[in-house]
C-alpha cells in the first residue's frame, strides 16, 4: 500500500470514529433528557398504577440508552486506538521496505 492510501484510510477511520462519538452523544442526550422529559410529562397528567409501571419501563429504557451510548463511546475510542496502531505499523513497514537491501 502506498503512504497516500494509508493516510486516506487512517483519516477515514478517524472520521468514522468521530461520527460514532457524535452519535453516542446524541443517544446519551436522548436517554438523559428527552425520555426523562416524557416520563415527567406523563406523570404530571396520568396518575395510576399503570402510569407507574410505564414510568419504570421508561426509566429503564433511558438507562439502557445511556449505557449503549457509553458502549459506543468506548467502541469509538477502540477504533481510534487500533487505527493509530495500524497506521504506525504500516508506515514503519514502508520505511523498512525502502531501506531493505536484497542481495
Amino acid at each position: 500500500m502506498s503512504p497516500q492510501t494509508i493516510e486516506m484510510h487512517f483519516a477515514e477511520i478517524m472520521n468514522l470514529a468521530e461520527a460514532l462519538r457524535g452519535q453516542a452523544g446524541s443517544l446519551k442526550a436522548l436517554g438523559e433528557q428527552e425520555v426523562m422529559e416524557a416520563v415527567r410529562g406523563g406523570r404530571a397528567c396520568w396518575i395510576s398504577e399503570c402510569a407507574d409501571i410505564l414510568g419504570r419501563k421508561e426509566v429503564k429504557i433511558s438507562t439502557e440508552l445511556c449505557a449503549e451510548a457509553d458502549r459506543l463511546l468506548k467502541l469509538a475510542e477502540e477504533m481510534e486506538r487500533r487505527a493509530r496502531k495500524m497506521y504506525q505499523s504500516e508506515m514503519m513497514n514502508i520505511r523498512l521496505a525502502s531501506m531493505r537491501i536484497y542481495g
Side-chain angles (χ1 to χ4, degrees), residues 34-48:
E34 294 183 32
V35 172
M36 294 311 290
E37 286 175 15
V39 170
R40 284 189 290 275
R43 287 185 185 215
C45 61
W46 185 27
I47 300 171
S48 72

Side-chain angles (χ1 to χ4, degrees), residues 71-85:
R71 284 190 289 272
L72 289 175
L73 283 173
K74 287 179 184 176
L75 181 60
E77 290 169 4
E78 180 68 14
M79 285 173 63
E80 288 180 352
R81 187 187 67 76
R82 288 186 184 201
R84 281 190 180 92
K85 191 173 182 178

Side-chain angles (χ1 to χ4, degrees), residues 50-94:
C50 292
D52 292 340
I53 292 169
L54 179 62
R56 284 192 297 273
K57 288 182 180 184
E58 289 171 329
V59 169
K60 182 180 176 187
I61 289 170
S62 174
T63 303
E64 289 173 357
L65 284 174
C66 291
E68 189 64 31
D70 290 338
R71 284 190 289 272
L72 289 175
L73 283 173
K74 287 179 184 176
L75 181 60
E77 290 169 4
E78 180 68 14
M79 285 173 63
E80 288 180 352
R81 187 187 67 76
R82 288 186 184 201
R84 281 190 180 92
K85 191 173 182 178
M86 288 174 59
Y87 173 80
Q88 291 168 347
S89 295
E90 290 292 335
M91 295 308 275
M92 180 59 77
N93 287 340
I94 288 172

